[in-house]
Amino acid sequence: MTDQPSNQQSTAVQPKSSQEKKGLRGRDFVNIGIFTAIYFVLNFICMLLGGFHPALWVFMPALIALIAGTPYMLMCAKVQKVGAVLIMGIITALVYFVTGMFTPFIIILMLVCCVIAEAIRAATKFKSFWGDAFSYAVFGLGMCGSPLPIWTMRDAFFEQIQSQGMSAEYVATLASITGDAMLPVMLIATFACGIVGALIARALFRKHFVKAGLV
Protein backbone atom coordinates (compact mmCIF):
# COMPACT_ATOMS: atom_id res chain seq x y z
CA MET A 1 0.00 0.00 0.00
CA THR A 2 2.76 2.46 0.88
CA ASP A 3 4.65 1.69 -2.32
CA GLN A 4 1.78 2.62 -4.65
CA PRO A 5 1.87 6.45 -4.19
CA SER A 6 5.63 6.37 -4.63
CA ASN A 7 5.30 4.58 -7.98
CA GLN A 8 2.57 6.96 -9.10
CA GLN A 9 4.71 9.94 -8.12
CA SER A 10 7.74 8.73 -10.08
CA THR A 11 5.53 8.03 -13.10
CA ALA A 12 4.07 11.53 -12.92
CA VAL A 13 7.50 13.11 -12.74
CA GLN A 14 8.84 11.23 -15.76
CA PRO A 15 7.04 13.19 -18.51
CA LYS A 16 8.31 16.45 -17.07
CA SER A 17 11.87 15.13 -17.08
CA SER A 18 11.68 13.95 -20.69
CA GLN A 19 10.00 17.20 -21.71
CA GLU A 20 12.90 19.18 -20.25
CA LYS A 21 15.31 17.29 -22.46
CA LYS A 22 13.54 18.26 -25.67
CA GLY A 23 13.96 22.03 -25.79
CA LEU A 24 17.01 24.23 -25.37
CA ARG A 25 17.41 25.57 -21.85
CA GLY A 26 19.62 28.13 -20.08
CA ARG A 27 22.66 25.91 -19.73
CA ASP A 28 22.34 24.86 -23.38
CA PHE A 29 22.42 28.48 -24.55
CA VAL A 30 25.49 29.13 -22.39
CA ASN A 31 27.30 26.15 -23.95
CA ILE A 32 26.25 27.18 -27.44
CA GLY A 33 27.48 30.73 -26.80
CA ILE A 34 30.87 29.59 -25.47
CA PHE A 35 31.58 27.15 -28.29
CA THR A 36 30.27 29.54 -30.94
CA ALA A 37 32.69 32.19 -29.68
CA ILE A 38 35.61 29.74 -29.87
CA TYR A 39 34.52 28.57 -33.31
CA PHE A 40 34.28 32.16 -34.55
CA VAL A 41 37.77 33.05 -33.27
CA LEU A 42 39.31 30.07 -35.11
CA ASN A 43 37.20 30.92 -38.13
CA PHE A 44 38.36 34.55 -38.10
CA ILE A 45 42.03 33.54 -37.87
CA CYS A 46 41.62 31.41 -41.01
CA MET A 47 39.87 34.31 -42.74
CA LEU A 48 42.81 36.61 -41.95
CA LEU A 49 45.26 34.06 -43.37
CA GLY A 50 43.39 34.33 -46.66
CA GLY A 51 44.87 37.79 -47.12
CA PHE A 52 48.37 36.37 -47.52
CA HIS A 53 47.67 34.41 -50.70
CA PRO A 54 44.60 33.89 -52.92
CA ALA A 55 44.87 30.09 -52.62
CA LEU A 56 44.51 30.38 -48.85
CA TRP A 57 41.36 32.43 -49.35
CA VAL A 58 39.82 29.98 -51.85
CA PHE A 59 40.50 27.09 -49.49
CA MET A 60 39.63 29.07 -46.37
CA PRO A 61 36.44 26.98 -45.80
CA ALA A 62 38.51 23.78 -45.91
CA LEU A 63 41.07 25.24 -43.49
CA ILE A 64 38.28 26.31 -41.12
CA ALA A 65 36.72 22.84 -41.32
CA LEU A 66 40.08 21.29 -40.47
CA ILE A 67 40.98 23.34 -37.40
CA ALA A 68 37.58 24.38 -35.99
CA GLY A 69 36.07 20.94 -35.49
CA THR A 70 36.77 20.83 -31.77
CA PRO A 71 34.34 23.56 -30.59
CA TYR A 72 31.62 22.23 -32.90
CA MET A 73 32.01 18.62 -31.78
CA LEU A 74 32.24 19.54 -28.10
CA MET A 75 29.07 21.60 -28.46
CA CYS A 76 27.35 18.60 -30.04
CA ALA A 77 28.48 16.44 -27.13
CA LYS A 78 27.22 18.96 -24.57
CA VAL A 79 23.98 19.98 -26.32
CA GLN A 80 22.24 16.94 -27.77
CA LYS A 81 19.19 18.84 -28.97
CA VAL A 82 17.82 20.43 -32.13
CA GLY A 83 18.79 24.06 -32.67
CA ALA A 84 22.37 24.19 -31.41
CA VAL A 85 23.99 23.89 -34.84
CA LEU A 86 21.58 26.36 -36.41
CA ILE A 87 22.33 28.98 -33.76
CA MET A 88 26.11 28.54 -34.14
CA GLY A 89 25.98 28.81 -37.93
CA ILE A 90 23.60 31.74 -38.20
CA ILE A 91 25.45 33.79 -35.56
CA THR A 92 28.74 33.26 -37.40
CA ALA A 93 27.25 34.13 -40.80
CA LEU A 94 25.41 37.19 -39.48
CA VAL A 95 28.51 38.62 -37.78
CA TYR A 96 30.44 38.39 -41.02
CA PHE A 97 27.59 39.81 -43.08
CA VAL A 98 26.80 42.71 -40.72
CA THR A 99 30.46 43.74 -40.58
CA GLY A 100 30.48 43.87 -44.39
CA MET A 101 33.05 41.14 -44.88
CA PHE A 102 30.94 38.74 -46.91
CA THR A 103 28.03 38.69 -49.36
CA PRO A 104 24.51 37.39 -48.63
CA PHE A 105 25.60 34.06 -50.14
CA ILE A 106 27.14 33.10 -46.81
CA ILE A 107 23.83 33.53 -44.95
CA ILE A 108 21.84 31.56 -47.52
CA LEU A 109 24.31 28.70 -47.84
CA MET A 110 24.97 28.55 -44.10
CA LEU A 111 21.24 28.34 -43.39
CA VAL A 112 20.78 25.47 -45.86
CA CYS A 113 23.82 23.60 -44.48
CA CYS A 114 22.71 24.11 -40.88
CA VAL A 115 19.26 22.67 -41.61
CA ILE A 116 20.82 19.59 -43.23
CA ALA A 117 23.31 19.23 -40.37
CA GLU A 118 20.48 19.43 -37.83
CA ALA A 119 18.57 16.74 -39.76
CA ILE A 120 21.62 14.44 -39.72
CA ARG A 121 22.03 14.85 -35.96
CA ALA A 122 18.32 14.26 -35.35
CA ALA A 123 18.31 11.17 -37.60
CA THR A 124 21.17 9.69 -35.56
CA LYS A 125 19.41 10.69 -32.32
CA PHE A 126 22.26 13.01 -31.21
CA LYS A 127 24.17 9.96 -29.90
CA SER A 128 26.39 9.08 -32.84
CA PHE A 129 29.93 10.37 -33.30
CA TRP A 130 29.73 9.75 -37.02
CA GLY A 131 26.36 11.48 -37.17
CA ASP A 132 27.93 14.56 -35.61
CA ALA A 133 31.03 14.20 -37.80
CA PHE A 134 29.01 14.17 -41.02
CA SER A 135 26.85 17.01 -39.74
CA TYR A 136 30.04 19.01 -39.14
CA ALA A 137 31.31 18.25 -42.65
CA VAL A 138 28.02 19.58 -44.08
CA PHE A 139 28.05 22.53 -41.67
CA GLY A 140 31.53 23.46 -42.90
CA LEU A 141 30.21 23.82 -46.45
CA GLY A 142 28.29 26.87 -45.23
CA MET A 143 31.51 28.88 -45.19
CA CYS A 144 31.87 28.19 -48.92
CA GLY A 145 29.37 31.02 -49.28
CA SER A 146 32.36 33.35 -48.84
CA PRO A 147 34.32 32.48 -52.01
CA LEU A 148 31.22 31.31 -53.93
CA PRO A 149 30.69 34.71 -55.69
CA ILE A 150 33.94 34.07 -57.57
CA TRP A 151 31.95 31.62 -59.70
CA THR A 152 28.40 32.98 -59.44
CA MET A 153 29.09 36.68 -60.09
CA ARG A 154 32.69 36.64 -61.27
CA ASP A 155 33.19 39.99 -63.01
CA ALA A 156 31.26 42.02 -60.44
CA PHE A 157 33.08 40.27 -57.62
CA PHE A 158 36.57 41.02 -58.93
CA GLU A 159 35.61 44.64 -59.56
CA GLN A 160 34.31 44.91 -56.00
CA ILE A 161 37.35 43.51 -54.22
CA GLN A 162 39.70 45.62 -56.33
CA SER A 163 37.71 48.73 -55.45
CA GLN A 164 38.03 47.74 -51.78
CA GLY A 165 41.82 47.85 -51.95
CA MET A 166 42.93 44.40 -53.09
CA SER A 167 46.11 44.65 -55.15
CA ALA A 168 45.95 44.00 -58.88
CA GLU A 169 48.46 41.17 -58.44
CA TYR A 170 46.29 39.47 -55.79
CA VAL A 171 43.16 39.79 -57.97
CA ALA A 172 44.97 38.47 -61.05
CA THR A 173 46.32 35.46 -59.16
CA LEU A 174 42.89 34.76 -57.67
CA ALA A 175 41.32 34.86 -61.13
CA SER A 176 43.95 32.52 -62.57
CA ILE A 177 43.48 29.79 -59.95
CA THR A 178 39.69 29.82 -59.82
CA GLY A 179 38.60 28.15 -63.02
CA ASP A 180 35.36 26.16 -63.19
CA ALA A 181 37.10 22.98 -62.01
CA MET A 182 38.20 24.64 -58.77
CA LEU A 183 34.64 24.97 -57.41
CA PRO A 184 34.02 21.21 -56.93
CA VAL A 185 37.59 20.84 -55.64
CA MET A 186 36.92 23.47 -52.98
CA LEU A 187 33.63 21.83 -51.95
CA ILE A 188 35.10 18.30 -51.77
CA ALA A 189 38.16 19.54 -49.87
CA THR A 190 35.94 21.35 -47.35
CA PHE A 191 33.77 18.28 -46.74
CA ALA A 192 36.80 15.98 -46.40
CA CYS A 193 38.54 18.40 -44.02
CA GLY A 194 35.34 18.49 -41.96
CA ILE A 195 35.55 14.72 -41.38
CA VAL A 196 39.24 15.01 -40.49
CA GLY A 197 38.50 17.95 -38.19
CA ALA A 198 35.90 15.87 -36.34
CA LEU A 199 38.41 13.01 -35.92
CA ILE A 200 40.99 15.46 -34.55
CA ALA A 201 38.43 16.67 -32.02
CA ARG A 202 37.70 13.10 -30.93
CA ALA A 203 41.40 12.35 -30.52
CA LEU A 204 41.90 15.48 -28.39
CA PHE A 205 38.80 15.12 -26.22
CA ARG A 206 37.87 11.44 -26.33
CA LYS A 207 36.84 11.45 -22.64
CA HIS A 208 34.10 14.04 -23.33
CA PHE A 209 32.69 11.98 -26.18
CA VAL A 210 32.68 8.83 -24.06
CA LYS A 211 30.86 10.66 -21.28
CA ALA A 212 28.28 11.96 -23.79
CA GLY A 213 27.71 8.45 -25.16
CA LEU A 214 29.08 9.29 -28.62
CA VAL A 215 31.79 6.60 -28.68
Side-chain angles (χ1 to χ4, degrees), residues 4 13 15 46-47 50 104 113 126 132 149-150 166 169 194:
Q4 189 172 2
V13 170
C46 294
M47 188 272 292
C113 290
F126 307 98
D132 286 348
I150 293 174
M166 286 290 187
E169 181 183 1

Side-chain angles (χ1 to χ4, degrees), residues 98 115 124 202:
V98 169
V115 170
T124 53
R202 184 172 69 170

Side-chain angles (χ1 to χ4, degrees), residues 27-104:
R27 182 186 295 179
D28 299 323
F29 287 111
V30 170
N31 283 321
I32 293 169
I34 291 171
F35 291 120
T36 297
I38 298 171
Y39 173 81
F40 182 81
V41 169
L42 295 174
N43 191 308
F44 188 71
I45 290 171
C46 294
M47 188 272 292
L48 291 177
L49 291 176
F52 289 101
H53 193 275
L56 286 174
W57 191 70
V58 172
F59 287 100
M60 177 188 67
L63 184 59
I64 291 170
L66 185 65
I67 73 167
T70 298
Y72 179 97
M73 294 297 289
L74 286 176
M75 182 190 70
C76 287
K78 293 278 190 181
V79 186
Q80 297 180 342
K81 300 174 183 178
V82 173
V85 171
L86 185 61
I87 293 173
M88 173 181 273
I90 293 303
I91 287 177
T92 301
L94 282 174
V95 169
Y96 277 132
F97 178 68
V98 169
T99 54
M101 294 184 184
F102 295 103
T103 67

Side-chain angles (χ1 to χ4, degrees), residues 105-128:
F105 281 99
I106 193 170
I107 295 179
I108 297 168
L109 189 58
M110 183 64 83
L111 179 60
V112 172
C113 290
C114 284
V115 170
I116 297 173
E118 290 280 13
I120 293 172
R121 293 192 70 212
T124 53
K125 303 186 186 305
F126 307 98
K127 284 290 185 180
S128 165

